[in-house]
Amino acid sequence: MDQKTQECVAKVADLNQVGKYLERYTQVVNNRLVPTMRNLILAMKNGITHHTEDVAKDVYEQFKMDTNLTVQEVIKQAVSQNFDKERKKTEGASASAKLSAKASQQAVRQVSAMLNEFIKFLVLFGIELVILGAIVAVTPGWPKLLAAPIGLLLGGVIDWKIYKNGGWG
């Protein structure tokens, strides 16, 4: 046989091997895959359902084995810890609010005392101004030039003594 014939015989032998392999593969697909696909299509057509109750029980039991606590106990602990944190925050905020209230009350007292002293000063200043005006009005002629500065000086000395002694109180 010549070389071309030998090549053709080899190719035919290879094709026979491929044919046998394809025949076995087709049988596997027909016997195994087609029924599986048919069942899957029918299941999808009818709807796939899961029974989650069994899964939930298994998860619950595994959780209890891993933590030695039930789910309710874990939730109760988490809520209790969160409640304690919130209570501590609230107590801190309450203490801060009380401190702020005391500071505000003290500031209001100080401002009130300052305003009270200022009003007393204005009253005294007004009285001194009225007295000075009366002195200047009653004094005749050129002695007014001496009476006005002496009245101002006298009022200043009185103011200085009052505030040197700590005010009115």
Side-chain angles (χ1 to χ4, degrees):
M1 282 206 262
D2 68 350
Q3 188 175 358
K4 279 283 188 192
T5 307
Q6 288 176 352
E7 286 177 14
C8 284
V9 170
K11 288 180 182 180
V12 167
D14 288 343
L15 286 175
N16 282 339
Q17 289 292 332
V18 169
K20 289 178 186 176
Y21 174 77
L22 284 174
E23 183 182 353
R24 273 187 268 137
Y25 180 77
T26 303
Q27 287 175 357
V28 168
V29 167
N30 287 339
N31 293 338
R32 293 185 186 164
L33 188 60
V34 169
T36 302
M37 292 296 288
R38 185 178 298 121
N39 289 338
L40 182 59
I41 290 169
L42 288 173
M44 290 177 72
K45 183 178 179 183
N46 296 330
I48 299 174
T49 58
H50 294 286
H51 299 285
T52 57
E53 187 175 314
D54 296 334
V55 174
K57 285 180 183 177
D58 288 344
V59 169
Y60 185 83
E61 289 173 6
Q62 188 63 41
F63 183 81
K64 189 172 181 180
M65 287 175 27
D66 290 345
T67 62
N68 292 325
L69 299 170
T70 64
V71 172
Q72 288 85 359
E73 291 170 335
V74 171
I75 291 171
K76 197 181 292 183
Q77 283 180 353
V79 168
S80 176
Q81 289 172 351
N82 194 22
F83 180 76
D84 287 342
K85 287 180 187 176
E86 292 300 320
R87 187 186 48 146
K88 288 178 183 176
K89 285 182 186 177
T90 304
E91 288 173 354
S94 175
S96 177
K98 287 177 184 176
L99 184 62
S100 294
K102 285 182 181 179
S104 296
Q105 287 174 345
Q106 186 177 5
V108 166
R109 284 188 198 117
Q110 287 175 344
V111 168
S112 178
M114 287 173 44
L115 284 174
N116 200 13
E117 288 295 319
F118 183 69
I119 289 171
K120 287 178 184 177
F121 171 73
L122 286 178
V123 168
L124 178 65
F125 186 71
I127 292 171
E128 289 173 351
L129 193 59
V130 168
I131 292 172
L132 184 61
I135 290 173
V136 169
V138 172
T139 309
W142 67 267
K144 285 184 184 185
L145 294 175
L146 290 175
I150 290 173
L152 285 173
L153 188 63
L154 190 60
V157 169
I158 292 171
D159 290 345
W160 178 74
K161 282 191 177 189
I162 289 173
Y163 284 104
K164 180 181 172 188
N165 293 331
W168 296 92

